[in-house]
Amino acid sequence: MKVAIMGYGTIGSGVAKVLDTNKDIIKERLGEALEIKYILDLREFPDDPHANCFVKDYKEIAKDKEIKLVVETMGGVEPAFTFVKAMLEAGKSVTTSNKALVADKGAELMKIAKDNDVNFVFEAAVGGGIPIIRTLTACLTGDVIEEIAAICNGTTNYMLTNMEQFGSEYAQILAEAQSLGYAEKDPTADVEGHDSCRKIAILTSLVAGKNVDYTEIPTEGISKISSTDFKYAKSMGYSIKLIAKSTKVGDTYSCRVAPFLVKPDQMLYHVSGVMNAVSVRGNMLGESMYYGAGAGALPTASAVVGDLVFLARNVDKHVRIGWANEKLELSNPSEQKYKYFVRTSALQSNIENEFEEVKYTDLDLDDETGFITAEMTESEFNERKTALGGVISVIRFY
Ligand code: HSE
């Protein structure tokens, strides 16, 4: 069976490597070989083992009836969307690793795939090498999913782990992560939580069966976390993790991406460095957690090739996943309830006036006090916080 790869960067070339390295076992499992016929890329790769496969026009692939399977590893929404749409409309199934495309256009592409009796799959778009998509859309379809909580960004988890271990400041650890190639030159998508936001939007769409608009998910990143926050966390026996969370509320879900304080008896506490983990609670299953490499060429390419085998086994037959284009109205985020850790320059008497029941966590620092609130809604917390004033930082308890 012939395959086309669109985009020959880190992931696309990783896909070729997985197909080449494991060709015999893939052939044995599938009953026929998966062979690369085209690679779409504007750059030249004269020394590549697949040098004779390169094309520059996606239409060449779209019109070739021999191609049934297409990999999209270009990244970004456009022109990936135009190319993927054209492939699906030409009767080809597509797998993508591109979370921006899936979060933005997933439901629409799913419908196009259904209308053309082909498949659109995206195992590699969330959690890289962790098979979380198929887990949710196949293995856990007997459950109502009550909660998903994910550390789904390796860059930020690496940075937070290092800040915790070495007491480094955010800017210093970001520079280090950039020099090691973990963080991008423009790190905004990772450090401000946008990447995690798209991933939890995709996972929530899949378990809800309706489309989550990722722009409606309240999202905070890690750029305001400091070494002092970690000192407080340590004194309380907690760690700080960037968590993308989705909780079932009635017929819908309540989502948030933010740094959370987690304690050692919570599984996500133990997820360190570049690793990712997705914790899922089902109404029958209870809690289960999926852990592994969330990024990197080969783990991500492994997920893409797993998708290719799935697509090859289901050629010309649309496999329903149940992700409708209909919008999911998310639950009001200001009604979410948390306990909050607050650092403020306000006087203790004012803290007690505004928040009544509090527990202090004192580091003996000049000019500031740390305290923990009782559980309350976001809207109530924000009112009290504004009335208090002098707030330096706030971190929610998970
Ligand atoms: N920038 C992402 C991360 C890559 O750091 O996890 C995988 O989506």
Side-chain angles (χ1 to χ4, degrees):
M1 202 170 287
K2 307 287 187 213
V3 175
I5 299 173
M6 304 195 294
Y8 205 56
T10 312
I11 313 296
S13 56
V15 170
K17 182 159 187 196
V18 174
L19 287 172
D20 292 343
T21 309
N22 290 346
K23 65 175 187 293
D24 295 338
I25 191 81
I26 293 168
K27 183 176 176 188
E28 203 178 306
R29 286 175 180 152
L30 187 57
E32 61 184 306
L34 288 180
E35 277 172 29
I36 299 170
K37 182 168 180 184
Y38 296 107
I39 300 174
L40 179 75
D41 206 293
L42 292 177
R43 296 164 296 177
E44 304 290 337
F45 295 87
D47 303 324
D48 191 272
H50 300 283
N52 58 349
C53 297
F54 281 84
V55 291
K56 288 188 168 48
D57 183 358
Y58 74 99
K59 290 187 187 133
E60 210 173 314
I61 301 170
K63 71 180 184 216
D64 186 337
K65 297 262 178 281
E66 205 185 15
I67 293 284
K68 294 280 180 200
L69 312 177
V70 178
V71 171
E72 187 277 305
T73 43
M74 300 163 51
V77 177
E78 279 296 354
F81 175 68
T82 303
F83 293 3
V84 169
K85 184 168 179 270
M87 298 303 157
L88 296 171
E89 285 171 346
K92 303 169 197 315
S93 284
V94 177
T95 166
T96 179
S97 61
N98 181 345
K99 71 227 146 198
L101 177 70
V102 180
D104 216 35
K105 303 281 188 188
E108 193 178 338
L109 289 168
M110 194 64 80
K111 179 163 188 320
I112 297 169
K114 181 174 181 281
D115 292 346
N116 289 280
D117 280 329
V118 290
N119 292 291
F120 173 64
V121 287
F122 40 86
E123 185 60 68
V126 181
I130 305 174
I132 186 62
I133 306 280
R134 198 149 291 116
T135 299
L136 292 176
T137 57
C139 312
L140 300 186
T141 41
D143 265 62
V144 173
I145 303 302
E146 293 172 336
E147 187 163 281
I148 300 174
I151 293 177
C152 51
N153 184 270
T155 306
T156 46
N157 205 42
Y158 169 86
M159 290 173 63
L160 291 176
T161 303
N162 278 269
M163 286 174 77
E164 180 171 43
Q165 283 179 352
F166 305 114
S168 327
E169 281 303 346
Y170 170 82
Q172 178 192 346
I173 213 69
L174 173 60
E176 244 173 77
Q178 283 170 319
S179 71
L180 287 169
Y182 289 141
E184 310 267 348
K185 222 153 92 198
D186 177 0
T188 316
D190 291 325
V191 300
E192 298 305 346
H194 306 161
D195 177 77
S196 297
C197 169
R198 284 174 171 78
K199 289 169 177 169
I200 197 69
I202 295 169
L203 297 182
T204 308
S205 296
L206 292 174
V207 298
K210 291 184 187 171
N211 198 34
V212 172
D213 178 347
Y214 67 87
T215 63
E216 292 181 356
I217 299 179
T219 298
E220 288 164 45
I222 65 161
S223 58
K224 294 196 184 82
I225 300 290
S226 68
S227 62
T228 311
D229 292 322
F230 271 107
K231 281 185 196 142
Y232 277 108
K234 194 173 175 194
S235 77
M236 295 185 275
Y238 282 67
S239 181
I240 304 169
K241 304 283 185 193
L242 182 67
I243 297 179
K245 205 174 168 193
S246 184
T247 309
K248 192 163 193 319
V249 180
D251 289 339
T252 184
Y253 284 82
S254 171
C255 300
R256 182 173 297 273
V257 176
F260 281 89
L261 284 154
V262 287
K263 56 184 177 188
D265 63 2
Q266 293 165 326
M267 289 201 276
L268 291 176
Y269 175 96
H270 303 281
V271 180
S272 297
V274 291
M275 300 310 270
N276 281 198
V278 186
S279 164
V280 180
R281 198 177 73 229
N283 66 340
M284 299 291 124
L285 166 81
E287 190 178 359
S288 60
M289 190 168 91
Y290 309 89
Y291 171 90
L298 292 180
T300 309
S302 157
V304 172
V305 174
D307 268 356
L308 278 176
V309 172
F310 169 85
L311 295 178
R313 285 175 175 158
N314 292 286
V315 162
D316 296 328
K317 179 181 104 190
H318 179 72
V319 179
R320 185 184 149 87
I321 289 180
W323 179 2
N325 217 345
E326 186 189 339
K327 185 181 171 192
L328 181 73
E329 293 299 338
L330 292 173
S331 167
N332 183 352
S334 34
E335 283 165 16
Q336 291 171 5
K337 280 188 173 176
Y338 301 100
K339 275 163 69 178
Y340 303 81
F341 165 67
V342 184
R343 285 170 57 201
T344 176
S345 57
L347 297 174
Q348 286 203 359
S349 54
N350 289 349
I351 294 172
E352 283 157 37
N353 265 347
E354 294 308 334
F355 281 91
E356 294 144 32
E357 259 179 78
V358 295
K359 220 172 115 199
Y360 291 103
T361 63
D362 207 5
L363 282 189
D364 261 342
L365 298 177
D366 291 339
D367 307 325
E368 70 168 83
T369 308
F371 69 93
I372 302 167
T373 71
E375 188 176 83
M376 62 187 74
T377 62
E378 283 280 310
S379 53
E380 184 180 350
F381 174 76
N382 284 328
E383 270 176 39
R384 290 178 188 235
K385 184 182 91 169
T386 308
L388 176 66
V391 170
I392 301 164
S393 73
V394 174
I395 309 178
R396 296 169 188 84
F397 283 85
Y398 173 63

